[in-house]
């Protein structure tokens, strides 16, 4: 009888990650919803029944279909200007995700660069970078964002700029701390001895080993950025009307709280679902990627 | 210890200088200079314009203006509001007690509910209670509080008529002179019947709204820190001694589990101040956050500048004090760095 030898290769890093991630049911649900929201954001122009800015003057303030007086032509009802709420909510996902992901992208690029420079160069550069980050962190996030918006003016691009500046310190500090702990390790010394250049050492030797906490921070940062942007929109300092941004939609509907509560409720539900699902996913990412930070 | 204290204090100094520089630059970057804003639509004679510029020191070289600004700040002069013509410090400290009162109530709400919820969740790890509690905590943590506030107003005030919609007290029924600035204390001091209860009713919704996110954070943090502590040897020893579960968790474990929780509460001060901006706007709460937002609307940049300078200074000082406290409690921090 021939003995069959089994070659059990260790699972690849992606597969190992997925197996670990899969254990957390909430995280998987979160991921599914996030995928759904991304899908909606990409295909909003096909999914939305109407243009988000089109005004149906003969159908203003309609309630959603499950409330008496609803019209199947406008499933989630219409706002006081007769704009279809469903279309506005669907298009709103585009803006929120756009803000969230661009903030994270820009923050990650600058954060990684500044954090690595601070960790590698040390000395005065390190001190200056960290002091500036401390200064930014000393001002409450929304207050600082308001200050920046007051200077550069309220619109969508400036919202992204303001929130990026607000969230930069978290990333810089995280990159710096992770890089510093890697710097003392043997493989870095070995690479140095082998004559690896400074930049290569930074970006191709050390950085990949710092990625786990950065990915987690980036995921959670997206949800924070979405919340912050919606908050600015609510204060009238974010995207300006008639842009279908969830926060500014909420601000517009404040006076309708008694007459048309749905116009106010729906954008908030959209924000909550999006942020919650990203946070669920982020918790799962943290557990799977970074066992040290494991919460449960 | 004194060396550690001085070193830490020295480290916050550059932050202060940079902060002054930022707030100073900001007001010069804002579109339209302060005089333009004041001039209004009718215009102003060139002589008067020059006079106003001179009064505000805007005809001086820029470095001199900066040193004048720093000099004024060091003497407690944070500028004068364009709109009300009163010193920023007067405006700020009249409104600040309202913000502080709301912030303290919100933190109290978060801790009183969050800590027990987290402890029970950790004690019953993996149970239905644990899972649903952590689910709720995550919802709280993800909550867009401006929406949450409106939803609560819709149900509690408009539908059930349980709580008032805005303000700190019913000004038609009650009137008292602010003595401490804290409505809860002032209403008692005023001796008016029902004033205290009315103030309390006004506080309920803003407290819940502002406390929701910290509640989520505190509950999650308590649970994870408790889980860690429950694995420790001394907890096993306590259990082996035959102590009741309640005593092990409530006495031996909780005391140590609370250390990181206290840290988190300290770190929440900044985000709590950010949250007050939204909460105060929703409930027309006469505090610092609402005032800042209004200052933008009125283009009252000196108020914005002074207000942010004051808020940031407070956060820096509070963080410094927390640092000191840790140094006192934990010698490892004191000597480690």
């Amino acid at each position: 009888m021939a003995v069959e030898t089994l070659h059990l290769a260790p699972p690849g890093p992606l597969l190992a990650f997925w197996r670990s991630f899969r254990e957390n049911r909430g995280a998987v649900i979160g991921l599914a919803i996030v995928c759904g929201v991304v899908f909606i954001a990409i295909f909003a122009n096909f999914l939305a029944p109407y243009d988000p800015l089109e005004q149906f003057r003969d159908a203003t303030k309609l309630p959603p279909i499950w409330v008496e007086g609803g019209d199947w032509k406008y499933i989630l009802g219409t706002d006081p200007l007769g704009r279809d709420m469903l279309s506005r909510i669907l298009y709103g996902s585009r803006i929120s995700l756009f803000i969230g992901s661009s903030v994270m992208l820009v923050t990650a690029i600058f954060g990684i660069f500044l954090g690595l420079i601070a960790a590698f160069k040390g000395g005065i550069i390190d001190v200056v970078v960290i002091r500036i980050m401390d200064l930014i962190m000393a001002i409450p996030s929304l207050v600082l964002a308001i200050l920046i918006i007051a200077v550069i003016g309220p619109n969508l691009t400036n919202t992204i700029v303001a929130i990026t500046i607000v969230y930069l310190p978290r990333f810089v500090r995280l990159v710096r701390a992770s890089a510093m702990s890697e710097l003392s390790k043997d493989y870095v010394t070995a690479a140095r001895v082998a004559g690896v250049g400074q930049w290569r050492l930074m970006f191709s030797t050390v950085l990949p080993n710092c990625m786990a906490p950065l990915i987690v921070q980036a995921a959670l940062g997206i949800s924070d950025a979405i919340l912050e942007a919606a908050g600015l929109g609510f204060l009238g300092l974010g995207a300006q009307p008639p842009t279908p941004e969830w926060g500014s939609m909420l601000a517009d509907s404040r006076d309708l709280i008694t007459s048309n509560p749905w116009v106010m409720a729906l954008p908030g539900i959209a924000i909550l679902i999006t942020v919650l699902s990203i946070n669920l996913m982020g918790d799962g990412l943290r557990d799977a990627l970074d066992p040290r930070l494991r919460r449960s | 210890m004194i060396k550690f204290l001085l070193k830490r204090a020295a480290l916050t100094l550059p932050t202060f200088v940079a902060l002054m520089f930022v707030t100073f630059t900001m007001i010069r970057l804002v579109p339209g200079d302060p005089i333009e804003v004041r001039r209004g639509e009718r215009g102003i004679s060139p002589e008067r314009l020059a006079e106003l510029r001179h009064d505000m020191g805007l005809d001086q070289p820029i470095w001199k203006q900066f040193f004048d600004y720093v000099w004024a700040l060091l003497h407690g002069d944070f500028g004068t509001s364009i709109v009300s013509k009163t010193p920023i410090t007067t405006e700020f400290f009249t409104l600040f007690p309202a913000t502080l009162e709301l912030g303290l109530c919100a933190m109290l709400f978060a801790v009183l509910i969050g800590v027990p919820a987290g402890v029970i969740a950790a004690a019953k790890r993996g149970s239905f209670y644990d899972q649903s509690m952590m689910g709720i905590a995550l919802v709280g943590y993800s909550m867009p509080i401006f929406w949450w506030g409106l939803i609560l107003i819709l149900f509690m005030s408009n539908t059930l008529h349980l709580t008032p919609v805005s303000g700190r007290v019913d000004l038609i029924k009650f009137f008292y002179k602010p003595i401490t600035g804290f409505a809860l204390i002032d209403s008692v001091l005023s001796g008016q019947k029902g004033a205290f209860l009315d103030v309390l009713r006004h506080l309920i919704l803003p407290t819940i709204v502002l406390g929701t996110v910290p509640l989520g954070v505190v509950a999650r943090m308590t649970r994870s820190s408790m889980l860690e502590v429950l694995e420790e040897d001394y907890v096993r020893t306590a259990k082996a001694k035959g102590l009741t579960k309640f005593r092990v968790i409530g006495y031996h474990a909780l005391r140590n589990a609370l250390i990181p929780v206290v840290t988190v509460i300290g770190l929440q001060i900044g985000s709590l101040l950010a949250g007050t901006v939204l909460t105060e706007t929703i409930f027309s709460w006469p505090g610092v956050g609402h005032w800042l937002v209004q200052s933008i609307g009125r283009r009252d940049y000196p108020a914005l500048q002074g207000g942010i300078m004051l808020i940031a200074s407070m956060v820096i000082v509070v963080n410094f004090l927390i640092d000191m406290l840790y140094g006192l409690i934990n010698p490892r921090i004191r000597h480690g760095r």
Side-chain angles (χ1 to χ4, degrees), chain A residues 25 131 134-135 137-143 146-147 150-152 220 224 227 230-232 234-235 237 247 250 254 257-258 261 264-269 271-272 275-276 279-280 283 286 294-296, chain B residues 11-12 14-15 18-19 22 26 29-31 125 131 138-139 141-144 146-147 150-151 153-154 158 220-221 223-224 227 270 273-274 277-278 281-282 292-293 296 301 304 308 311-312 315-316:
Chain A
R25 202 156 21 115
R131 283 297 111 192
D134 276 356
L135 170 67
M137 283 174 94
I139 309 177
S141 60
L142 195 62
V143 176
I146 290 174
L147 172 75
V151 174
I152 60 182
L220 296 173
D224 283 342
L227 265 185
L232 281 175
F234 179 75
L235 293 173
L237 300 170
L250 249 169
R254 270 184 76 176
I257 182 165
T258 36
M264 182 271 289
L266 290 168
I269 295 173
I271 300 171
L272 180 58
V275 172
L276 183 60
N279 282 342
L280 271 172
D283 270 9
R286 182 205 323 263
R294 215 174 179 133
R295 290 212 170 194
S296 51
Chain B
L11 274 174
T12 55
T15 316
L19 180 66
V22 169
M26 176 223 129
L29 290 175
V30 164
R125 183 183 191 177
Q131 284 178 351
L138 193 65
V139 172
Y141 176 68
S142 313
M143 188 64 80
F146 39 97
W147 176 75
L150 293 176
I151 290 289
I153 289 177
L154 179 64
N158 289 353
R220 280 158 62 96
M221 195 67 215
R223 176 180 178 272
S224 61
L227 283 177
L273 275 167
V277 175
L278 291 166
T281 306
I282 300 167
L292 271 183
V293 175
I296 294 187
Y301 292 112
L304 202 60
I308 284 171
I311 290 180
V315 176
I316 294 175

Side-chain angles (χ1 to χ4, degrees), chain A residues 152-169:
Chain A
I152 60 182
N155 62 46
L156 193 64
T157 323
N158 290 350
T159 304
I160 295 172
V161 173
I163 302 175
T164 303
I165 297 175
V166 170
Y167 283 109
L168 197 57

Side-chain angles (χ1 to χ4, degrees), chain B residues 19-325:
Chain B
L19 180 66
M20 288 187 235
F21 181 72
V22 169
T23 47
F24 172 80
T25 329
M26 176 223 129
I27 203 153
R28 271 144 193 91
L29 290 175
V30 164
D33 74 79
I35 300 293
E36 301 271 320
V37 179
R38 206 188 263 198
R39 183 160 67 170
E41 284 170 12
R42 276 176 297 159
I44 200 165
S45 70
E47 294 82 37
R48 179 79 186 121
L49 192 72
E51 199 181 316
L52 279 175
R53 284 189 159 279
H54 182 74
D55 284 351
M56 294 184 78
L58 289 174
D59 52 353
Q60 305 278 354
I62 200 91
W63 61 267
K64 177 125 191 338
Q65 288 184 37
F66 181 62
F67 281 109
D68 286 346
Y69 174 65
V70 174
W71 191 247
L73 285 182
L74 290 177
H75 287 78
D77 174 11
F78 283 74
T80 308
S81 157
I82 293 179
V83 179
S84 66
K85 308 277 194 293
T86 45
I88 307 295
T89 37
T90 314
E91 284 207 350
F92 188 90
F93 287 107
T94 319
L95 298 169
F96 188 67
T99 302
L100 189 63
E101 187 172 43
L102 176 59
L104 287 176
C105 287
M107 217 59 235
L108 205 65
F109 167 79
V111 171
L112 287 184
I113 301 184
V115 170
V119 169
I120 299 174
K124 302 188 173 207
R125 183 183 191 177
S127 68
F128 176 72
Y129 172 85
D130 178 22
Q131 284 178 351
S132 34
M133 198 43 76
M134 286 306 108
I136 295 171
L138 193 65
V139 172
Y141 176 68
S142 313
M143 188 64 80
I145 58 170
F146 39 97
W147 176 75
W148 180 225
L150 293 176
I151 290 289
L152 284 176
I153 289 177
L154 179 64
F155 284 104
M156 303 283 282
S157 307
N158 289 353
T159 313
L160 300 173
H161 303 288
L162 286 174
T163 51
V165 176
S166 64
R168 293 176 83 189
V169 69
D170 193 338
L171 290 172
I172 299 170
K173 284 190 206 151
F174 306 103
F175 181 77
Y176 51 82
K177 275 208 170 119
I179 300 165
T180 57
F182 295 94
L184 284 174
I185 301 172
D186 285 347
S187 61
V188 173
L189 291 178
S190 76
Q192 292 179 59
K193 226 179 155 188
F196 180 76
L197 277 181
D198 191 61
V199 169
L200 214 56
R201 266 160 40 92
H202 278 83
L203 257 170
I204 294 174
L205 288 193
T207 298
I208 295 177
V209 168
L210 186 58
T212 300
V213 175
L215 171 62
V217 175
V218 168
R220 280 158 62 96
M221 195 67 215
T222 309
R223 176 180 178 272
S224 61
S225 142
M226 194 75 194
L227 283 177
E228 227 164 79
V229 170
L230 285 178
E231 310 265 303
E232 298 282 342
D233 289 341
Y234 62 82
V235 171
R236 199 173 337 129
T237 314
K239 274 186 198 159
K241 269 168 38 185
L243 296 180
T244 59
K245 196 174 179 185
F246 184 78
R247 199 170 157 79
V248 172
I249 291 173
Y251 184 72
H252 291 257
L254 185 62
R255 279 188 4 178
N256 291 293
L258 279 183
I259 295 169
V261 178
V262 173
T263 316
V264 164
I265 294 172
L267 290 174
Q268 286 290 307
I269 288 164
S271 50
L272 208 63
L273 275 167
T276 53
V277 175
L278 291 166
T279 313
E280 290 177 1
T281 306
I282 300 167
F283 294 99
S284 310
W285 192 263
V288 179
H290 189 45
W291 171 72
L292 271 183
V293 175
Q294 283 180 324
S295 301
I296 294 187
R298 299 173 188 143
R299 308 202 152 261
D300 190 350
Y301 292 112
L304 202 60
Q305 182 186 29
I308 284 171
M309 186 73 214
L310 283 167
I311 290 180
S313 310
M314 272 185 208
V315 176
I316 294 175
V317 170
V318 169
N319 284 343
F320 173 72
L321 290 178
I322 292 176
D323 256 15
M324 291 293 93
L325 214 64

